[in-house]
Amino acid sequence: MSDKLGIPPQDLRASAGASGRIARDLEPRVKKAVNKSKDAASALKGWSFGAALETSAEEWETALGAMRKRIAKSEELLRDIADMHTWNDHDIYRTFSGDLKR
């Protein structure tokens, strides 16, 4: 275990990029899965299972959509944290170096 607690901004930005890729990759897959479930529900219209499948598809659409949005939001937040970390390091440097003109 390390005594160092810091996380380099480049690691935060790399994590942000990974979150963004995951969110973008999920979007078409979620849509495809939900659409296929809805198509199956339509094909079973009139059967009790068809109605249950339609309800299930709608619930999955809501849940998976919310999950994708949270992952996408984490990309934004990780980038913001990296930017604030970098700004803070520069501000501390300027304060301690006496170079407040930078």
Side-chain angles (χ1 to χ4, degrees), residues 16-58:
S19 293
R21 285 187 300 280
I22 290 168
R24 286 186 294 279
D25 287 349
L26 273 176
E27 187 169 17
R29 293 168 193 236
V30 167
K31 284 181 182 180
K32 183 178 179 180
V34 168
N35 288 338
K36 287 196 178 274
S37 295
K38 287 182 178 182
D39 290 346
S42 293
L44 295 168
K45 196 170 193 150
W47 294 75
S48 61
F49 185 71
L53 189 55
E54 176 70 28
T55 300
S56 178
E58 290 169 359

Side-chain angles (χ1 to χ4, degrees), residues 30 34 56-69:
V30 167
V34 168
S56 178
E58 290 169 359
E59 289 172 356
W60 274 110
E61 183 175 31
T62 300
L64 293 173
M67 179 187 70
R68 191 199 64 74
K69 286 178 185 174

Side-chain angles (χ1 to χ4, degrees), residues 3 10 15-18 27 33 62-63 73 76 83 85 91 93 101:
D3 290 336
Q10 63 270 21
S15 295
E27 187 169 17
T62 300
K73 183 67 175 175
E76 176 187 333
D83 291 345
H85 181 60
D91 191 48
Y93 171 80
K101 294 179 184 177

Side-chain angles (χ1 to χ4, degrees), residues 85-101:
H85 181 60
T86 300
W87 179 88
N88 192 46
D89 279 354
H90 289 160
D91 191 48
I92 290 170
Y93 171 80
R94 283 193 332 263
T95 300
F96 282 98
S97 70
D99 186 6
L100 299 176
K101 294 179 184 177

